[in-house]
């Protein structure tokens, strides 16, 4: 019969450490404003495979110092057209302020209408007022736009300052993060090794301890189940109890026979004496009959008394006393050493002891086998310990590599901090320069608000000149930062965040491999484990773990054992094979329970019961009926009665007297002997009846118990071997099940959750978070902010120069208006005033005036210098009238641009 092996599945679970430093650094906290620039860089990054392979080869050569970093950048630019375009755009934008400033300084005034020429002052003033209003409107508009640009510049400067500080802070934090990462790496290695060791060794110890407990409790796990199974199917316990009941019934039966025998003995004793007295009475009766007269002889001859020989009472009593069956039955219930009851009790005790002590006998019989199992288990433990020691030594080698990396990083970080300090100083200087130029423009606007137009114009020109100079420096800084940030984004951040394939990173490290000069055969993880493994150790198979699959599995929190294929070092199947080779399975096969104690262990009891059953075959009914029919007492009473009737008929007195005497003797015999004998006869009949009533159920019970016992023994002889084999096989499978459960549990735990490599991904994520989001994103933000300031400078330069021209024109217009209101128009003075150079860089300027007269009410009738207003009268009908003022519009035409050579014409 097959039965499910109930093997406990609870195994101790390892406790993972939580003393990692990386999660406490808060690298994921904060807003990364310029992370979107990486999206923009992705559009200008070459992702064609040939280009990527070229870049990978360059990185590999740079890593092994075959080429310099500058050469790497220059070679990379050959295949990076997007970056070249950006550099060209930066450079061209930086030239815009310089080119526009030069063009503005060399250009002529586009609309020089500030010199009115030889016309009336009223006309000039009206035109100049209109022009002043237009210039004020232009100044306000240009000032507003320039204010917006300055605000944007200040925002850009703030962004530059913030991003520069973020870069410096991240660079200063880098050694802490790297050291923390290395410490977490060491912590992870030790923790993973401890957890795997705990699962493998503690699980094995647990399985072995359970095997030992099973062997110690083999009586309960193997012997008792066999005993219970056989007892259930044979009912042997019930049969034994019924046999005990038979013993009790036999004792009762023996007591009944003993009472019968005692009654028989007393009846025999009385019957012997009664027989003698009865014989005497018979003799006296014979003498009496002889003494009777002839006449009374016929009556005397009628007298007759039956002796015991005629009734057969004594014979029957003697036969019952000497009956061997009754003797056996009586001895059966006795407790003597040679009685059947003693033999039955002894055999029953032996059989019950054999059956009930079977479990203890099984445990005693398997002590030697348990000792051999203990030896094999100890050997298996040593082999497993040696296997796990390979992992421990490998982890020790990896820890040494990490420690060497930490020692190398200490010297590297000194130079790293110097480079960071240089970058920070360059960024700070650029930020301050950008801020100063922005402040110059802001101060120019402040002067304009204070109506210091001349100072505002000069300040704006100074700001434009500063922008021309600073644009070149800012463009160079932007180019450098863009190259650093963009290449860091492309070469480092993009491979690090290329989830889930990590194509570039895998090409960099696995194949062809950035760390190894030659292409690693099994990838970087396999190479690291191979190099760290102890000398002389041999892995079960090569470890072929791709970097992408390792990162993805670690991100999901899978166990290190399955992720890094550590079963090649700690091969559980090898442990299982060693278990088989160590002979443990063969020794376990020797554990079992035999059926020998159950074979024929009730044969003696069956023989005793068969004898008891044969002895119970008594015909007590016939004997009881015979005893019922025999009654000497009644015969004697009948004789006494007959004697009295006969004596009454006899005439002879002497005969009558003798008959009376004989009757008295017979009466005394009946009262003294026959009456007690009659009572004993009744007791004998009673005892025979009671014995018969007891004997029949007892015989039935003996027969039933014998039948059950035979059936039980037949079942034991036929099925005990199979039951013992099946139960033994179940127990053996239970012993093996502990090891199988250990193997399955260990494989499941190690492949699932034990020694989760999530800390490794946290370290990887922290490093890429630090470099990409805390350094590269601010660096991209820095060059983007610098580019924004550069672009705003390119827009602010023409605005500044246009606003400067507006300020100067307003200043000149104000002076002209003041001059024309203080004196009349003088052509010569105007000529002298307009003799200037035609460049923005000169202190004087030439004015070409085109004047349209403006209607004005005046009483003057003369003009100065040949230029003025002709007054003519006219009437209401349209003719000239006296007293009317006629305004003539005069156009002045200059010859060859000479203000002294002109002629007038009416319009």
């Amino acid at each position: 019969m097959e039965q499910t092996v109930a093997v406990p599945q609870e195994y101790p679970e390892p406790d993972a450490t939580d003393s990692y430093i990386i999660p406490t650094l808060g690298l994921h906290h904060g807003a990364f404003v310029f992370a979107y620039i990486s999206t923009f860089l992705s559009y200008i990054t070459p992702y064609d495979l040939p280009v990527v392979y070229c870049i990978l080869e360059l990185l590999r050569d740079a890593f092994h110092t075959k080429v310099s970093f500058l050469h790497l950048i220059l070679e990379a630019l050959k295949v990076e057209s997007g970056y070249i375009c950006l550099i060209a755009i930066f450079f061209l934008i930086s030239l815009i302020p310089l080119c526009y400033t030069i063009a503005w300084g060399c250009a002529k005034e586009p609309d020089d209408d500030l010199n009115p020429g030889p016309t009336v002052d009223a006309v000039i003033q009206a035109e100049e007022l209109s022009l002043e209003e237009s210039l004020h409107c232009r100044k306000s508009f240009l000032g507003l736009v320039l204010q917006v640009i300055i605000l944007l510049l200040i925002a850009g400067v703030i962004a530059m300052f913030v991003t520069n500080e973020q870069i410096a802070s991240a660079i200063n934090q880098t050694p802490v993060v790297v050291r923390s990462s290395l410490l977490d790496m060491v912590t992870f290695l030790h923790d993973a090794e401890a957890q795997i060791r705990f699962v493998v060794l503690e699980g094995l110890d647990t399985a072995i301890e359970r095997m030992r407990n099973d062997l110690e409790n083999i009586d309960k796990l193997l012997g008792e189940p066999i005993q219970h199974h056989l007892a259930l199917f044979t009912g042997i316990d019930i049969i034994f109890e019924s046999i005990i009941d038979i013993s009790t019934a036999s004792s009762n039966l023996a007591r009944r026979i003993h009472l019968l025998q005692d009654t028989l003995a007393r009846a025999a004793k009385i019957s012997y004496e009664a027989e003698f007295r009865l014989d005497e009475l018979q003799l006296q009766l014979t003498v009496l009959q002889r003494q009777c007269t002839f006449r009374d002889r016929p009556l005397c001859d009628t007298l007759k008394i039956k002796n015991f020989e005629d009734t057969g009472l004594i014979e029957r009593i003697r036969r019952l006393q000497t009956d061997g069956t009754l003797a056996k039955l009586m001895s059966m219930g006795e407790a003597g050493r040679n009685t059947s009851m003693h033999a039955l009790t002894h055999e029953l005790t032996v059989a019950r002891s054999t059956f009930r002590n079977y479990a203890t006998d099984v445990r005693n019989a398997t002590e030697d086998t348990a000792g051999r199992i203990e030896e094999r288990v100890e050997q298996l433990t040593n082999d497993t310990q040696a296997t796990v020691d390979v992992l421990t030594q490998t982890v020790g080698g990896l820890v040494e590599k990490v420690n060497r990396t930490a020692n190398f990083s200490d010297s590297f970080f000194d130079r790293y901090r110097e480079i960071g300090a240089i970058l920070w100083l360059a960024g700070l200087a650029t930020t301050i320069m950008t801020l100063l130029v922005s402040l110059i423009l802001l101060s120019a606007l402040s002067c304009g608000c204070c109506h210091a137009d001349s100072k505002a114009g000069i300040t704006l020109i100074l700001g434009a000149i500063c922008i021309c100079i600073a644009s070149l420096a800012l463009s160079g800084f932007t180019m450098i930062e863009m190259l650093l940030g963009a290449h860091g984004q492309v070469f480092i951040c993009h491979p690090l965040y290329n989830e889930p394939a990590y194509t570039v990173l895998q090409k960099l490290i696995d194949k062809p491999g950035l760390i190894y000069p030659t292409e690693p055969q099994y990838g970087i993880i396999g190479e690291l484990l191979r190099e760290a493994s102890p000398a002389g150790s041999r892995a079960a198979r090569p470890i072929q773990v791709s970097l992408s699959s390792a990162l993805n599995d670690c991100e999901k929190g899978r166990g290190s054992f399955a992720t890094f294929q550590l079963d090649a070092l700690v091969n559980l199947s090898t442990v299982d094979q060693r278990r088989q080779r160590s002979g443990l399975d063969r020794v376990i096969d020797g554990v079992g329970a035999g059926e020998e104690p159950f074979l024929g262990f009730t044969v003696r009891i069956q023989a005793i019961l068969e004898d008891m059953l044969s002895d119970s075959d008594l015909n007590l009914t016939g004997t009881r009926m015979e005893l019922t029919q025999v009654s000497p007492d009644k015969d004697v009473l009948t004789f006494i009665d007959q004697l009295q009737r006969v004596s009454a008929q006899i005439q002879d007195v002497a005969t009558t007297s003798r008959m009376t005497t004989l009757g008295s003797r017979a009466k005394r015999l009946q009262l003294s002997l026959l009456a007690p004998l009659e009572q004993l006869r009744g007791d004998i009949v009673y005892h025979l009846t009671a014995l018969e009533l007891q004997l029949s159920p007892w015989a039935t019970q003996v027969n039933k118990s014998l039948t059950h016992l035979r059936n039980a023994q037949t079942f034991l002889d036929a099925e005990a071997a199979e039951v013992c084999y099946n139960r033994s096989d179940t127990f053996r499978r239970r012993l093996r099940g502990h090891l199988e459960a250990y193997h399955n549990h260990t494989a499941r735990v190690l492949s699932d959750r034990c020694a989760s490599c999530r800390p490794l991904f946290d370290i990887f994520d922290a490093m890429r978070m630090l470099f990409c989001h805390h350094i590269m994103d601010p660096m991209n933000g820095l060059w983007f902010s610098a580019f924004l300031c550069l672009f705003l400078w390119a827009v602010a330069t023409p605005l500044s120069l246009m606003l400067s021209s507006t300020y100067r024109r307003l200043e000149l217009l104000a002076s002209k208006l003041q001059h024309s209101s203080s004196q009349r128009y003088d052509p010569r003075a105007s000529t002298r005033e307009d003799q200037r150079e035609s460049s923005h860089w000169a202190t004087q300027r030439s004015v070409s005036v085109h004047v349209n007269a403006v209607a004005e009410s005046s009483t003057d009738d003369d003009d100065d210098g040949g230029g003025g207003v002709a007054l003519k009268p006219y009437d209401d009908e349209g003719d000239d009238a006296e007293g009317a003022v006629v305004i003539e519009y005069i156009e002045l035409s200059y010859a060859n641009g000479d203000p002294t050579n002109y002629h007038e014409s009416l319009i």
Side-chain angles (χ1 to χ4, degrees):
M1 291 178 293
E2 296 294 332
Q3 182 177 357
T4 303
V5 182
V7 179
Q9 299 295 331
E10 295 78 11
Y11 285 88
E13 295 288 342
D15 295 328
T17 182
D18 56 352
S19 58
Y20 290 102
I21 306 174
I22 286 296
T24 64
L25 298 180
L27 293 175
H28 293 79
H29 300 162
F32 307 107
V33 181
F34 295 99
Y36 64 89
I37 298 180
S38 61
T39 305
F40 165 74
L41 293 175
S42 64
Y43 290 107
I44 63 173
T45 302
Y47 288 117
D48 296 334
L49 288 179
V51 177
V52 172
Y53 290 152
C54 179
I55 296 175
L56 296 182
E57 291 294 334
L58 289 174
L59 280 177
R60 182 177 176 179
D61 293 339
F63 184 83
H64 295 289
T65 64
K66 294 181 180 180
V67 296
S68 63
F69 186 75
L70 179 60
H71 180 73
L72 171 66
I73 297 297
L74 294 177
E75 291 295 329
L77 288 176
K78 294 180 181 180
V79 294
E80 295 175 349
S81 58
Y83 294 152
I84 296 176
C85 292
L86 282 180
I87 292 174
I89 291 172
F90 295 163
F91 182 72
L92 293 176
I93 292 177
S94 66
L95 294 178
I96 290 176
L98 179 62
C99 295
Y100 187 86
T101 302
I102 294 174
W104 176 84
C106 297
K108 291 185 178 181
E109 185 69 22
D111 187 13
D112 199 357
D113 52 359
L114 300 180
N115 195 344
T119 56
V120 245
D121 291 341
V123 176
I124 295 173
Q125 289 179 0
E127 179 66 20
E128 289 182 347
L129 287 174
S130 176
L131 181 59
E132 183 181 17
E133 183 179 358
S134 175
L135 290 176
H136 275 294
C137 181
R138 179 185 297 179
K139 182 191 75 171
S140 299
F141 175 75
L142 293 175
L144 178 61
V145 176
L146 192 57
Q147 287 178 11
V148 174
I149 293 177
I150 291 175
L151 289 177
L152 294 177
L153 282 171
I154 293 175
V157 169
I158 294 174
M160 290 176 63
F161 179 79
V162 171
T163 52
N164 190 54
E165 290 300 321
Q166 287 180 344
I167 295 172
S169 176
I171 290 176
N172 291 331
Q173 192 183 8
T174 299
V176 176
V177 175
V178 173
R179 291 191 185 98
S180 300
S181 300
L182 295 176
L183 290 175
D184 282 357
M185 181 76 73
V186 173
T187 302
F188 165 75
L189 290 174
H190 287 303
D191 183 50
E193 185 269 336
Q195 290 189 55
I196 294 174
R197 171 180 286 272
F198 183 89
V199 170
V200 175
L201 296 182
E202 291 298 325
L204 181 60
D205 291 342
T206 301
I208 292 174
E209 184 64 25
R210 289 173 179 172
M211 291 179 63
R212 290 170 179 166
N213 291 334
D214 287 351
L215 291 173
E216 291 178 359
N217 298 316
I218 192 173
D219 53 343
K220 298 179 180 179
L221 296 174
L222 179 59
E224 290 183 1
I226 294 175
Q227 180 181 339
H228 293 162
H229 181 86
L230 294 178
L232 179 64
F233 281 86
T234 61
I236 193 70
D237 291 332
I238 300 175
I239 296 174
F240 287 155
E241 293 296 330
S242 67
I243 295 176
I244 294 176
D245 295 338
I246 291 174
S247 300
T248 305
S250 299
S251 298
N252 296 332
L253 189 65
R255 283 196 299 270
R256 177 63 60 183
I257 297 174
H258 182 73
L259 293 175
L260 175 63
Q261 291 293 340
D262 184 62
T263 305
L264 288 172
R266 288 187 289 117
K269 181 178 180 181
I270 293 174
S271 63
Y272 290 148
E273 184 177 358
E275 182 182 12
F276 176 75
R277 297 285 296 276
L278 194 60
D279 289 342
E280 287 182 351
L281 187 62
Q282 180 70 32
L283 181 61
Q284 292 175 3
L285 177 62
T286 303
V287 172
L288 177 64
Q289 287 176 343
R290 290 177 182 177
Q291 292 176 356
C292 284
T293 62
F294 180 79
R295 187 183 56 184
D296 293 333
R297 189 176 296 275
L299 289 175
C300 290
D301 291 338
T302 59
L303 296 175
K304 187 178 183 178
I305 186 172
K306 292 182 179 181
N307 57 15
F308 277 34
E309 292 180 1
D310 296 334
T311 60
L313 177 62
I314 295 177
E315 181 183 358
R316 290 182 177 87
I317 292 174
R318 188 181 296 114
R319 188 169 60 245
L320 286 176
Q321 281 183 320
T322 59
D323 193 307
T325 303
L326 287 177
K328 288 182 179 180
L329 290 176
M330 185 175 63
S331 65
M332 188 180 300
E334 296 177 353
R337 293 183 59 86
N338 297 324
T339 62
S340 299
M341 183 56 63
H342 175 76
L344 178 63
T345 304
H346 175 71
E347 293 298 332
L348 183 62
T349 302
V350 172
R352 293 182 68 181
S353 176
T354 301
F355 190 82
R356 292 181 177 179
N357 295 332
Y358 177 76
T360 304
D361 295 338
V362 169
R363 183 179 62 183
N364 296 332
T366 55
E367 287 182 355
D368 294 339
T369 306
R372 291 194 297 271
I373 291 176
E374 182 68 25
E375 295 176 358
R376 300 300 187 276
V377 163
E378 188 68 25
Q379 181 181 354
L380 177 62
T381 302
N382 296 333
D383 294 341
T384 307
Q385 179 71 43
T387 303
V388 177
D389 288 342
V390 175
L391 175 64
T392 303
Q393 296 176 11
T394 302
V395 170
L398 293 175
V399 170
E400 291 180 0
K401 286 181 176 290
V402 174
N403 292 332
R404 288 197 297 269
T405 304
N407 297 331
F408 168 76
S409 63
D410 292 337
S411 60
F412 170 78
F413 284 136
D414 295 335
R415 186 176 180 182
Y416 178 77
R417 290 191 188 94
E418 294 177 359
I419 296 175
I422 294 173
L423 292 176
W424 177 76
L425 289 176
L428 182 63
T430 305
T431 303
I432 294 173
M433 177 192 68
T434 308
L435 179 61
L436 291 177
V437 174
S438 301
L439 291 178
I440 292 175
L441 296 179
L442 183 62
S443 63
L445 288 180
S446 301
C447 292
C449 294
C450 297
H451 304 289
D453 294 346
S454 60
K455 294 181 180 180
I458 295 174
T459 306
L460 288 172
I461 294 174
L462 177 61
I465 295 173
C466 291
I467 288 175
C468 294
I469 299 172
S471 292
L472 297 176
L474 185 60
S475 65
F477 176 78
T478 305
M479 293 176 192
I480 294 174
E481 291 292 331
M482 188 273 296
L483 289 176
L484 293 176
H487 283 85
Q489 184 69 37
V490 171
F491 291 137
I492 299 178
C493 294
H494 174 71
L496 294 179
Y497 280 96
N498 185 23
E499 299 174 326
Y502 297 101
T503 306
V504 178
L505 187 62
Q506 189 162 326
K507 291 293 183 182
L508 284 173
I509 298 180
D510 274 347
K511 294 182 180 182
L514 182 64
I515 295 179
Y516 297 95
T518 59
E519 181 175 332
Q521 185 177 2
Y522 303 114
I524 183 174
I525 297 176
E527 292 294 331
L528 288 175
L529 292 175
R530 183 183 60 81
E531 293 177 359
S533 59
S537 64
R538 183 177 181 181
R541 66 177 188 280
I543 299 176
Q544 299 180 355
V545 182
S546 65
L547 189 63
S548 60
S549 62
L551 290 175
N552 291 324
D553 290 343
C554 290
E555 185 178 8
K556 298 174 183 176
R558 290 195 61 189
S560 302
F561 194 85
T563 301
F564 302 110
Q565 298 181 5
L566 297 181
D567 55 338
L569 299 176
V570 185
N571 194 348
L572 297 179
S573 60
T574 302
V575 174
D576 191 60
Q577 293 173 2
R578 288 179 178 175
R579 183 194 77 186
Q580 297 176 358
R581 289 198 300 268
S582 64
L584 180 59
D585 287 345
R586 292 193 301 272
V587 176
I588 291 177
D589 289 337
V591 178
E595 72 281 2
E596 292 82 6
F598 300 115
L599 300 179
F601 80 110
T602 63
V603 174
R604 289 288 302 162
I605 299 176
Q606 293 181 41
I608 296 174
L609 291 178
E610 288 176 355
D611 292 340
M612 293 172 66
L613 185 62
S614 63
D615 292 340
S616 65
D617 189 14
L618 290 175
N619 187 13
L620 298 178
T621 304
T623 304
R624 179 172 54 82
M625 294 300 294
E626 290 177 355
L627 289 175
T628 303
Q629 294 174 1
V630 175
S631 179
D633 182 61
K634 291 181 180 180
D635 292 341
V636 172
L637 289 176
T638 302
F639 171 73
I640 292 173
D641 182 66
Q642 184 182 10
L643 185 64
Q644 290 176 356
R645 287 195 301 268
V646 171
S647 66
Q649 294 177 8
I650 292 177
Q651 296 178 0
D652 184 29
V653 176
T655 302
T656 303
S657 177
R658 287 192 291 272
M659 285 185 180
T660 303
T661 302
L662 183 63
S664 298
R665 292 177 179 176
K667 187 66 175 178
R668 287 194 299 270
L669 175 64
Q670 186 270 330
L671 291 176
S672 62
L673 293 176
L674 295 181
L677 181 61
E678 180 67 19
Q679 184 179 359
L680 290 175
R681 185 188 66 80
D683 292 340
I684 292 172
V685 171
Y686 170 76
H687 287 306
L688 288 175
T689 304
L691 180 60
E692 187 177 6
L693 292 176
Q694 289 182 356
L695 185 60
S696 178
W698 177 83
T700 303
Q701 186 176 5
V702 170
N703 185 33
K704 185 183 296 184
S705 299
L706 179 60
T707 303
H708 291 166
L709 190 61
R710 286 173 178 173
N711 294 334
Q713 187 62 57
T714 302
F715 179 85
L716 290 175
D717 294 341
E719 301 293 336
E722 183 178 358
V723 172
C724 292
Y725 175 79
N726 291 336
R727 293 288 179 172
S728 299
D729 186 64
T730 301
F731 182 78
R732 289 190 291 267
R733 284 189 284 115
R734 178 185 175 89
L735 293 179
R736 295 191 190 96
H738 290 304
L739 297 176
E740 294 296 334
Y742 154 73
H743 183 273
N744 297 332
H745 167 79
T746 304
R748 183 178 66 257
V749 171
L750 293 180
S751 63
D752 182 21
R753 60 187 181 276
C754 175
S756 172
C757 62
R758 177 69 191 191
L760 288 181
F761 182 81
D762 292 338
I763 294 172
F764 169 77
D765 191 41
M767 296 303 298
R768 69 179 182 178
M769 179 68 66
L770 172 68
F771 190 83
C772 296
H773 290 292
H774 291 272
I775 296 179
M776 287 297 104
D777 282 352
M779 186 172 292
N780 290 326
L782 181 60
W783 71 256
F784 181 78
S785 301
F787 170 72
L788 180 63
C789 293
L790 186 65
F791 177 77
L792 292 174
W793 278 355
V795 177
T797 300
L799 291 176
S800 300
L801 294 176
M802 291 170 62
L803 188 58
S804 175
S805 299
T806 303
Y807 279 136
R808 284 184 297 180
R809 292 178 69 185
L810 284 172
E811 181 184 5
L812 185 58
L813 181 60
S815 63
K816 292 296 182 180
L817 290 175
Q818 183 179 3
H819 175 74
S820 62
S821 62
S822 61
Q823 64 180 14
R824 295 184 180 276
Y825 183 75
D826 187 359
R828 293 186 179 87
S830 177
T831 301
R832 288 193 302 269
E833 186 178 345
D834 292 334
Q835 290 177 349
R836 301 173 182 172
E837 296 178 6
S838 60
S839 173
H840 284 289
W841 304 108
T843 56
Q844 297 180 352
R845 61 176 183 156
S846 62
V847 182
S848 176
V849 183
H850 180 80
V851 181
N852 291 324
V854 180
E856 181 179 358
S857 174
S858 177
T859 57
D860 296 336
D861 56 356
D862 56 339
D863 57 337
D864 295 332
V869 181
L871 304 177
K872 294 184 180 180
Y874 63 96
D875 55 10
D876 295 337
E877 289 80 4
D879 298 333
D880 293 342
E882 185 178 359
V885 179
V886 178
I887 299 176
E888 295 181 351
Y889 294 92
I890 303 171
E891 181 179 8
L892 300 181
S893 301
Y894 296 92
N896 298 325
D898 186 2
T900 60
N901 185 10
Y902 64 90
H903 66 276
E904 301 177 355
S905 60
L906 295 175
I907 300 176

